[in-house]
Structures are given as C-alpha cells and as structure tokens.
Amino acid sequence: MIVMKFGGSSVANAERIVNMAEIVRSRIKQKPILVLSAMGDTTDLLLESANNALKKGVVSIEAIEELHLKTINELALGNVLQKEIKNLFWDLGSLLTGISLTRELTGRTKDCLVSFGERISVRIAAAYFCSKKIKARALDAWDAGFLSDSSFGQAELRKESYVRIASAMRILTAEGTLPVVTGFIAKDENGNITTLGRGGSDLSATIIATACKAGEVQVWKDVDGILSADPRLVKEAKPVELVSYDEAAELAYFGSQVLHPRAMQPCIQTGIPVLVKNTFNPAAPGTRIEPGPVKNASLIRAITSKKNVTLVDIVSTRMLGQSGFLAKVFAEFAKAGISIDMIATSEVSVSLTLDADKDLSIVCRELSEYAGVEVKTGKAIVTVIGDIRRSSEILHEAFGICRKLGFQVQMISQGASKVNISFIVNDSEADSIVQELHRFFFSVETSKKPAATRTRKAK
C-alpha cells in the first residue's frame, strides 16, 4: 500500500486531473490511497470571497463555480456530479451570506469556509476515476477517521484518529476501492470542521500512511523534488536525490515550500519513506526522504532562507549566576502564544527570532522589568543544511562569503538535530547570500578543490 498526495497545481484543471489519474493508474497495483488539495487557487478564492462578504457585504462565488463547473464539463461528469456539487455551492453561498449579515468571520467559520475546496476536488477526481473504470470513492476527512481538537486554523489530531483511519481505509482497500480523501481538514468532537494549517494536506497524507503502515508516501508537487535552493533565486538549483527526515523538516521550517513543516513527524515515528515527485515531469527520480543520516552525502545538501523575521535581543546583568532566567523569558513568550524560531544564549542574554507579524508589546513590557529588550525588524534567516560534523568548514566558507559581500552576520545557531546551521542577516541581503553560497558550494569547479584553496579564491 502507498499513499499519494497531489497538491493544488496537480489538480488545477481538467488536463491536470487527467494527468494525475494516469499517474495513479500506473501504480494501481500498489493499492494507492489518494489525498488531494483544493484545485489551483481555490483556497485563495474562498478567502477572497469571505473578505468581500465581511467588508463589503458582497456575496459572490462566480469565480469558484466557473473553475469547477468548467472542469466538470471538460471531464464529461456533468450528469454524475450535478446534484452533489450544486448542494456544496448552495452551502457555500449560505455560509458567505451569513458572514455578510453578521459581518463576522470567526476561526470556526473560516475553517468551514476553506474546506469547500478539498471537498469539491475529491468528488470531481473520484467521479473521473469511476468514469475510467477505476472504482473510487470520495471521502471527507472526517469520514476517513480524522478527529481533531478545536484549535481552528491549526488543529491537532486526537490519538484515536489513527485507529479510525486504519479501519476506514482497510475496509475500502479490501473491496478494491480507491479512496480519494480530502487533505488539510478534519472535524472536532462537536462536529465542527477544522483545518490542519495551510499546506496541511502533506500532513494528512503522512498521517494516513502512518495509520495504515503504508510502504511509502508519494508527495506529488510541481517541482522535481526538494531542490538545493529556491529556483526563483538560483536558476542552477538542482534536485537533491536523498535527504534524512531531520534535513527535510529543517528545510520545511526554514523556508522551503516543498513540504509542510509538520508533515515529517508521523513518518519519523514509523520510518516510512517519503518520495517527492513532479506531476509535470513524472519520469524525474524526485527526492527520497528516509530516516537516519545520509551515507556518503555531499558537504551541503541545500540552502534556504526565511524572510520577514524579527530579532529580539534580551540582556540582564542582574540575572548573572541566577537560575531561571531563560525559563522566565520563555514563559513570557508562551503566555503570549508566540512561537520562537531560533535562539542563541549566554549567561546574561538571549537572542531569538520569530515571525514579524507577532505583537510584542505585552512581552516587551513584562521583560523590561528585569531585562533590556531590543527589537530589530526586517531580518532574514539563512539556513545551510548539510554535514554539520564539518561545521567549522561550512562556517569558514559561509562567513567568508558574507565578508566578501560586505554583510554582517547578526546571530548564529546550530540546530539540535545537527543537520543545520542558521544565521541572521538583513532581509535585503538574504537573496545575494543564498545565491553566492549556492554558487560556491555547488559549482563543479570548486567542489572538487580543498576547502582552503576554495576560500582563498572566494575572497
């Protein structure tokens, strides 16, 4: 058994759905379970519709209807899906009308709203498979066993979900049915629709794979796998054939858009490999993600960056030699519900980073009672993923490049996973640093030379 997840670009229109179906057909003997995202830009269109209803009192789903009805007609599924899809559009319109009348969009309502994208896409895909003599069934996530808490927008699945999912999938696959499951969504105990966070379809797929003890998870995207850098920045970026779970997780968290940051967690528990493939180029080998360190790997696996970061420096000489300084600092951020990305500490100070959209006014006021606090915005995290056993060499080269470019490194951190080194620079400097680091570490000419020789030439 395998789990195959297809992202929005892979099911964006009738042509892409036909292509997706052919990929699935070629693997039908492996007993696939499908997890689908919403079609193309549907989620963005839903949010735009909600915004119009909330702020302007305007209710319109024309763009959403046009995309899906056009796809249904081009796939010749009109008669099959007419009633079911019409009912979903009716429910969507009613929800938007409620938003326009109350001028209120709660987290619960928003989760219900964005769920329509996945709910429509799986029904179209399942109907198309059936039209091609492949027995398939569309499943909303709650019918597939997904039970979550009520943390709208970032829900966590309850432990009993794994047993429920395994049971539901076992029944369908035993009767030769292809399950087509909505990614990204679930329901809580009160029957409210929840979401697992943006990009959570990857997480849905790895959860199903873990519950069913699948042999492999295939994540189908619009790129040839995990790349050595963002191809929008580095045209020479190349697919990475093999990475570890830890490396993939760090890449996801620090800027790579290939996989959801939490998606690796279920597979880490079971050791199920993940294969990242390209629906637009299925012949490409893609990237395989496996447990444990990668043997005989190159010095650097990939370079990524995360912009729009805030750097907070906290200093308190009064805390010298006193226990509990860090505990007090972290407690203030925890009370405010603010997640920290990176930290660097000393006896009397701590520097940390977080997303720029966080309100720090209350945290700063509380911290200022016993520490000096300086908040610096417009920062970026540049992360190098690779063999950190050779961290001295990596830092030597990376800092040499920053010095050559005239940029100052403002903070550095090595992750506990021992696969990444991250450092802080200004937002405006990140792109140039990533490009130069990639050019240096991945060029054929320099990669074969000793490190000391390469550094002298880089200066």
Side-chain angles (χ1 to χ4, degrees):
M1 178 188 293
I2 61 173
V3 177
M4 304 176 71
K5 181 264 176 178
F6 290 89
S9 61
S10 300
V11 291
N13 52 42
E15 180 183 0
R16 300 317 310 163
I17 289 174
V18 170
N19 180 70
M20 177 271 295
E22 288 304 309
I23 292 172
V24 174
R25 184 190 293 275
S26 69
R27 292 160 173 78
I28 203 70
K29 292 183 179 179
Q30 294 177 271
K31 297 182 178 179
I33 297 171
L34 303 193
V35 176
L36 301 187
S37 296
M39 291 177 57
D41 297 325
T42 300
T43 301
D44 291 332
L45 290 173
L46 286 164
L47 292 172
E48 182 181 341
S49 297
N51 189 58
N52 288 334
L54 181 67
K55 296 182 177 180
K56 302 176 183 179
V58 175
V59 175
S60 174
I61 59 171
E62 289 183 8
I64 298 167
E65 284 184 315
E66 181 180 354
L67 169 63
H68 293 92
L69 292 177
K70 179 182 179 183
T71 302
I72 289 169
N73 290 333
E74 290 178 353
L75 295 174
L77 301 174
N79 293 332
V80 178
L81 288 173
Q82 185 175 12
K83 183 178 180 181
E84 192 169 14
I85 298 299
K86 186 177 180 180
N87 287 340
L88 285 172
F89 285 144
W90 174 266
D91 291 343
L92 173 58
S94 298
L95 183 62
L96 289 169
T97 299
I99 294 171
S100 71
L101 292 173
T102 62
R103 295 299 171 94
E104 184 178 66
L105 181 59
T106 64
R108 182 176 67 176
T109 302
K110 186 176 181 180
D111 277 8
C112 181
L113 174 86
V114 296
S115 74
F116 281 92
E118 277 73 14
R119 291 158 68 187
I120 296 172
S121 73
V122 296
R123 284 161 171 78
I124 294 174
Y128 180 71
F129 279 113
C130 290
S131 74
K132 297 302 176 182
K133 309 304 180 185
I134 296 176
K135 187 180 179 182
R137 179 180 169 188
L139 289 169
D140 292 322
W142 43 89
D143 294 325
F146 281 72
L147 178 67
S148 76
D149 61 19
S150 301
S151 301
F152 299 108
Q154 197 72 24
E156 296 284 347
L157 283 197
R158 300 179 68 89
K159 290 183 179 180
E160 56 263 40
S161 295
Y162 288 86
V163 175
R164 292 157 55 105
I165 291 167
S167 176
M169 296 300 101
R170 189 182 306 113
I171 292 171
L172 289 175
T173 55
E175 62 185 33
T177 299
L178 172 67
V180 186
V181 185
T182 55
F184 178 53
I185 60 178
K187 270 188 178 179
D188 67 10
E189 288 184 318
N190 298 317
N192 298 309
I193 296 174
T194 60
T195 62
L196 306 180
R198 194 72 184 263
S201 292
D202 293 339
L203 181 59
S204 299
T206 55
I207 286 171
I208 291 175
T210 300
C212 299
K213 297 181 174 57
E216 180 179 84
V217 181
Q218 296 181 1
V219 180
W220 290 83
K221 303 279 186 175
D222 54 5
V223 291
D224 283 343
I226 294 177
L227 302 181
S228 55
D230 187 337
R232 294 170 297 184
L233 286 180
V234 181
K235 293 181 180 179
E236 300 79 17
K238 58 187 72 175
V240 184
E241 292 184 7
L242 183 64
V243 298
S244 68
Y245 287 146
D246 286 341
E247 291 168 341
E250 296 286 357
L251 280 167
Y253 195 79
F254 287 110
S256 172
Q257 299 300 309
V258 175
L259 287 174
H260 189 278
R262 294 189 295 161
M264 291 296 97
Q265 291 303 316
C267 287
I268 289 173
Q269 300 171 15
T270 55
I272 298 172
V274 178
L275 183 62
V276 182
K277 296 276 286 181
N278 188 352
T279 51
F280 296 85
N281 184 22
T287 299
R288 192 169 181 82
I289 306 170
E290 295 183 347
V294 178
K295 295 181 180 179
N296 302 319
S298 57
L299 176 62
I300 300 299
R301 208 88 70 250
I303 303 163
T304 188
S305 63
K306 181 179 182 180
K307 292 186 178 180
N308 201 25
V309 168
T310 294
L311 173 63
V312 182
D313 291 328
I314 305 163
V315 181
S316 177
T317 54
R318 287 184 294 161
M319 301 301 293
L320 181 64
Q322 297 186 34
S323 61
F325 174 44
L326 288 178
K328 291 182 69 174
V329 170
F330 293 144
E332 298 298 345
F333 285 94
K335 282 193 296 184
I338 297 175
S339 177
I340 296 170
D341 288 337
M342 284 172 51
I343 60 170
T345 66
S346 72
E347 181 69 18
V348 296
S349 69
V350 57
S351 295
L352 50 87
T353 68
L354 40 90
D355 291 339
D357 60 352
K358 304 301 182 183
D359 182 3
L360 297 175
S361 56
I362 297 176
V363 173
C364 289
R365 185 174 66 243
E366 296 295 327
L367 291 174
S368 63
E369 293 184 4
Y370 56 87
V373 182
E374 184 177 5
V375 177
K376 303 173 183 177
T377 58
K379 305 302 176 183
I381 301 173
V382 175
T383 299
V384 178
I385 304 294
D387 187 355
I388 307 306
R389 292 172 299 180
R390 298 166 64 184
S391 60
S392 296
E393 181 180 348
I394 295 171
L395 286 171
H396 177 63
E397 308 293 11
F399 280 26
I401 287 171
C402 290
R403 184 171 63 251
K404 182 184 73 171
L405 293 171
F407 300 151
Q408 186 69 36
V409 174
Q410 301 169 42
M411 173 183 164
I412 182 171
S413 177
Q414 180 174 325
S417 62
K418 307 303 182 187
V419 299
N420 88 77
I421 292 176
S422 298
F423 51 92
I424 297 293
V425 295
N426 291 329
D427 246 350
S428 59
E429 301 166 347
D431 289 355
S432 297
I433 293 173
V434 170
Q435 290 165 350
E436 285 299 316
L437 285 172
H438 191 279
R439 186 175 296 114
F440 181 86
F441 283 113
F442 288 91
S443 73
V444 176
E445 291 76 15
T446 61
S447 63
K448 295 180 180 179
K449 296 179 182 179
T453 303
R454 298 201 304 264
T455 303
R456 284 197 296 272
K457 290 200 172 187
K459 294 180 180 178

